[in-house]
Amino acid sequence: MTVQICSLIVNEPQSIPADGQYHVVRFPFGAGESFDDCNMHQTAQPDGYAVTDWRHDDRSGLIWPAAEGWGSLNALMYWDDGSYSEIRSRFVRDPLNLSTGFDSTCTEDTPSTPGGQYRAKHWELFVHPGTPLALMVKHDSGRSVNLAFAELKLAIHT
C-alpha cells in the first residue's frame, strides 16, 4: 500500500466575515507548506488556473488529490476570542463547483467556551483526482472573527 500526503499550514490570521456563509480556509504555497511532495497544492492547478495571491483566492484552500484512494482528512483550527456562540467547520469535495459539484461532509458545530476556540477534526472518504477538497468554516458572531491558525492534511491510501 502506498500513502500520498499533503500537509498544509497557515500561521497568519484570516478574517472570517460575519455573513452567515461558509468560507474556504486559505493556505500559502511553497515554503509556507509543511509537506506536499505529490504536488496536490500548487499555484498552477490541474484545471489550468493559476493562483497569484493565496490570501485572496479561495483556490489556495484546495487540495487536488493525486490519486484515487481512501483519504484521511485532518484539520486543526484556532479561533480568536469573539462574540460568537457557535463555530462550524466542514470538509467539502469541490467547494467551488469546479468539477463534480459541491459535496460537504463532516459538518460540525460547536458552542463557544471562554477565550479562544481550539478544534481538531478527522474524517475519511474516497478521493478522486479532479475533485478538489477544502476545509470551510463559519461563525455566528455579528462581526468578523479571525481564524488565527489552521492546518489541513490529506493522506491518500492507494
Side-chain angles (χ1 to χ4, degrees):
M1 180 183 302
T2 303
V3 179
Q4 297 180 354
I5 296 170
C6 181
S7 177
L8 308 178
I9 186 170
V10 61
N11 285 307
E12 186 175 306
Q14 291 180 53
S15 180
I16 307 300
D19 59 7
Q21 302 297 311
Y22 279 93
H23 296 272
V24 172
V25 178
R26 299 174 182 144
F27 295 91
F29 297 96
E33 296 177 294
S34 51
F35 191 77
D36 184 28
D37 72 339
C38 295
N39 299 317
M40 292 188 260
H41 184 254
Q42 301 295 307
T43 56
Q45 302 202 340
D47 65 352
Y49 184 89
V51 177
T52 58
D53 182 357
W54 75 266
R55 289 175 182 87
H56 298 100
D57 192 331
D58 283 345
R59 282 177 169 255
S60 68
L62 301 179
I63 293 178
W64 294 82
E68 296 269 341
W70 187 245
S72 295
L73 283 167
N74 292 282
L76 183 63
M77 299 152 283
Y78 293 176
W79 289 86
D80 282 353
D81 190 13
S83 59
Y84 44 78
S85 61
E86 174 185 83
I87 54 174
R88 289 189 178 194
S89 63
R90 59 177 35 165
F91 293 122
V92 181
R93 291 181 191 97
D94 195 17
L96 305 177
N97 287 309
L98 302 172
S99 62
T100 57
F102 184 96
D103 180 18
S104 67
T105 187
C106 193
T107 299
E108 296 179 299
D109 59 339
T110 53
S112 64
T113 57
Q117 310 302 306
Y118 310 102
R119 303 287 186 258
K121 66 189 293 151
H122 173 82
W123 194 248
E124 298 192 11
L125 69 169
F126 287 105
V127 297
H128 313 281
T131 302
L133 303 165
L135 171 66
M136 298 183 80
V137 297
K138 77 175 191 172
H139 58 82
D140 67 355
S141 177
R143 62 176 179 80
S144 295
V145 177
N146 279 341
L147 182 63
F149 173 85
E151 292 186 25
L152 176 60
K153 301 169 184 310
L154 171 64
I156 305 171
H157 306 271
T158 58

